[in-house]
């Protein structure tokens, strides 16, 4: 691991900004810490960049997976449950101030939607869902599933 320090004035040094951005794009970055140094008209930002020497930069596009159209993958009945579960997940995420995928990913929601009678044990059998998520979120989805099967 290597470190490199960048300092740039707060007001107008586009050349320094470009130098930092070029460095970040061309190295495998482990961590960036920034610190504001207040000194009136000499105020500046300092960046401590930790990187791997000779490491290839992480290609953003290679980390993305192909999008799945769950309308095509799931039956009509399962897709209806999937859409309802996503609404619940979104409401929970908004109330907790977290991204929805932290609660359950679309893949996990789709697996839940394929189960006609959702239970704690059926949720437990889904890859990627652990005990903490079950304890915190499962009842929200089980109650909805139970209500809809009574119709």
């Amino acid at each position: 691991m290597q470190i490199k320090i960048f300092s740039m004035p707060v007001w107008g040094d586009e050349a320094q900004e470009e130098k930092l951005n070029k460095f970040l794009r061309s190295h495998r970055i482990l961590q960036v810490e920034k610190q504001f140094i207040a000194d009136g008209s000499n105020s500046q930002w300092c960046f401590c960049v930790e990187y791997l020497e000779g490491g290839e930069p992480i290609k953003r596009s290679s980390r993305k997976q192909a999008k799945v159209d769950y309308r095509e993958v799931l039956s009509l009945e399962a897709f209806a449950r999937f859409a309802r579960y996503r609404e619940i997940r979104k409401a929970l995420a908004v109330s907790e101030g977290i991204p929805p995928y932290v609660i359950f990913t679309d893949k996990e929601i789709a697996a839940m939607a394929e189960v006609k009678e959702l239970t704690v044990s059926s949720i437990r059998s889904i890859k990627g869902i652990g005990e903490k998520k079950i304890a915190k979120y499962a009842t929200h989805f089980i109650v909805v599933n139970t209500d809809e099967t009574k119709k």
Side-chain angles (χ1 to χ4, degrees):
M1 176 182 70
Q2 302 287 317
I3 65 166
K4 184 159 177 81
I5 307 293
F6 291 89
S7 297
M8 68 180 67
V10 174
W11 294 281
D13 192 345
E14 287 80 23
Q16 274 298 96
E17 287 178 32
E18 183 52 38
K19 185 177 175 184
L20 172 61
N21 288 329
K22 185 177 180 181
F23 183 85
L24 294 173
R25 284 190 301 266
S26 64
H27 290 82
R28 186 172 193 124
I29 305 302
L30 301 174
Q31 182 175 343
V32 177
E33 291 184 33
K34 64 181 178 181
Q35 182 72 42
F36 181 73
I37 300 168
D39 187 19
S41 62
N42 295 323
S43 295
Q44 60 183 326
W45 282 100
C46 287
F47 299 89
C48 178
V49 181
E50 294 179 23
Y51 66 99
L52 291 177
E53 183 66 43
E56 292 290 318
I58 298 172
K59 301 225 183 316
R60 302 284 182 227
S61 60
S62 66
R63 287 197 284 173
K64 290 186 179 180
Q65 296 178 352
K67 287 251 182 195
V68 176
D69 185 354
Y70 287 102
R71 256 179 242 261
E72 294 177 7
V73 176
L74 299 171
S75 68
L76 286 175
E77 190 178 287
F79 184 76
R81 285 190 297 271
F82 174 78
R84 181 68 183 123
Y85 293 163
R86 284 183 52 148
E87 290 173 9
I88 295 166
R89 177 184 69 176
K90 184 176 181 179
L92 289 169
V94 167
S95 72
E96 293 186 22
I98 58 175
Y101 64 82
V102 171
I103 294 172
F104 292 123
T105 64
D106 279 351
K107 188 175 182 178
E108 294 164 348
I109 295 270
M112 289 167 47
E114 289 180 319
V115 177
K116 287 190 181 193
E117 297 216 17
L118 201 58
T119 63
V120 170
S121 63
S122 64
I123 294 174
R124 187 174 282 121
S125 69
I126 297 171
K127 184 179 178 190
I129 300 179
E131 291 301 318
K132 286 183 182 179
K133 284 185 178 183
I134 290 170
K136 194 168 184 180
Y137 303 116
T139 56
H140 297 282
F141 296 87
I142 292 170
V143 168
V144 167
N145 184 274
T146 305
D147 290 345
E148 291 192 4
T149 55
K150 288 180 183 176
K151 290 180 184 178

